Amino acid sequence: MIKGQGKFIHVLTPMHVGGNYEFSVVDQPIQREGHTGFPKIEASSFKGSVRHHLERQNKNVEELFGSTEQAGKLTFTDAHILFFPIRSAKGLYALITCPSILARYTKGEPIKLVGEAATYSNDLIIEGKLLLDEYVYGRIGDNINFKKIIESIEKKMGSAICLKQHALLLSDDDFAYFVKHHTEVITRVAIDSTTGTVNEGLFDEEYVPAEAIFYTTIYGEDKDIANLELDVLQIGGNMTIGKGFVKIYNEEAQDEKHSK
């Protein structure tokens, strides 16, 4: 029986999965949804990274991923953003999300945000205010539905990511602004490998910052999905300079699993 298994993708080092160059001022932008501008990981990019990861372990991947003669047994879907890190004056950083993101994830109705923001705990609040990068939020609400979702996600991923301490609910518009303007942009130079000199001059490269969390679903037989044995792998470009390391979590209670 074909089933879907949810996966969380926790970004450990800045990740560059190349996107559409036509609509960006950055030379090499990341992949984004066309209708929202939210960061994403195309299914083909994630599938290719998983396949490469298994091939490096000398595993036979044709049966799972397909070949010119046959279709693969697994179906991959796009990975959507769930939490995006923003610098915070307290707690180092906040993991922001928004009602539209959570409604898509839970397949439910959007949470009603009262005030400018809502947190799970007071770990991000200084004298009743939030300071995110250069922005100040003064009207901080309390939302029980948001807290329930955070508790559910942390139970599935395990408490090591400290989601309760960093989770922050913003409006859809504020979230869209931050994910558009607060990615990492690094200026690099291309070097000719034979001469050791500059080849094409300077270029800008955009990265999803470390600590971002995506979610996706892989469809197939349970035994075939289990054969992936995903833990830590790399997604995207610049793998030889340590970019794109991610940790994969199954959508199940991690703490309960580890306690058995």
Side-chain angles (χ1 to χ4, degrees):
M1 181 178 180
I2 302 300
K3 297 181 179 179
Q5 185 180 98
K7 304 282 187 182
F8 295 106
I9 302 173
H10 181 203
V11 180
L12 303 179
T13 63
M15 178 182 67
H16 173 78
V17 184
N20 192 329
Y21 298 86
E22 183 178 355
F23 303 107
S24 176
V25 296
V26 179
D27 297 317
Q28 297 187 9
I30 60 173
Q31 293 176 352
R32 293 179 179 274
E33 297 178 351
H35 62 300
T36 64
F38 295 168
K40 68 171 181 176
I41 305 171
E42 290 277 0
S44 58
S45 299
F46 182 49
K47 178 181 178 181
S49 297
V50 173
R51 179 169 186 153
H52 179 65
H53 173 73
L54 297 179
E55 287 175 337
R56 293 176 67 181
Q57 299 177 22
N58 297 317
K59 293 186 177 182
N60 186 355
V61 299
E62 287 193 357
E63 186 176 1
L64 292 178
F65 292 88
S67 65
T68 55
E69 289 78 26
Q70 65 178 16
K73 291 186 174 183
L74 299 176
T75 298
F76 289 75
T77 64
D78 292 349
H80 299 288
I81 191 70
L82 186 56
F83 295 99
F84 188 87
I86 294 295
R87 183 175 60 183
S88 173
K90 186 179 180 184
L92 295 181
Y93 65 93
L95 288 173
I96 65 171
T97 188
C98 67
S100 291
I101 290 290
L102 295 182
R104 178 193 288 181
Y105 169 71
T106 62
K107 299 178 176 60
E109 293 294 324
I111 294 173
K112 185 177 180 180
L113 179 63
V114 179
E116 296 177 305
T119 62
Y120 184 93
S121 68
N122 293 324
D123 292 347
L124 300 171
I125 299 176
I126 302 176
E127 297 180 353
K129 296 181 180 180
L130 281 165
L131 282 73
L132 300 180
D133 205 60
E134 71 269 31
Y135 300 94
V136 179
Y137 289 80
R139 294 184 292 118
I140 314 302
D142 189 30
N143 192 298
I144 187 63
N145 292 324
F146 174 59
K147 290 185 175 181
K148 288 180 178 179
I149 294 174
I150 295 305
E151 289 170 356
S152 173
I153 295 173
E154 186 171 276
K155 183 179 180 181
K156 294 174 181 177
M157 296 187 69
S159 57
I161 62 168
C162 301
L163 185 58
K164 292 177 181 177
Q165 287 87 337
H166 296 288
L168 175 63
L169 183 67
L170 299 180
S171 69
D172 291 345
D173 290 340
D174 283 2
F175 180 86
Y177 172 83
F178 278 119
V179 298
K180 180 179 180 180
H181 297 286
H182 285 71
T183 53
E184 294 186 19
V185 178
I186 298 175
T187 301
R188 300 185 60 201
V189 61
I191 302 296
D192 190 306
S193 59
T194 58
T195 64
T197 59
V198 174
N199 185 16
E200 299 177 359
L202 301 175
F203 63 93
D204 295 326
E205 202 163 49
E206 186 179 25
Y207 290 84
V208 174
E211 305 302 339
I213 298 173
F214 293 79
Y215 69 96
T216 187
T217 303
I218 301 176
Y219 291 93
E221 300 284 353
D222 288 341
K223 60 181 180 61
D224 293 326
I225 298 176
N227 285 337
L228 295 176
E229 297 180 348
L230 300 180
D231 184 23
V232 175
L233 66 148
Q234 283 180 283
I235 299 177
N238 301 322
M239 296 174 69
T240 60
I241 55 175
K243 304 301 185 183
F245 275 103
V246 303
K247 183 172 177 59
I248 308 297
Y249 294 86
N250 295 331
E251 267 207 0
E252 57 187 59
Q254 296 291 316
D255 289 341
E256 292 179 5
K257 177 182 176 182
H258 292 161
S259 65
K260 293 181 179 179

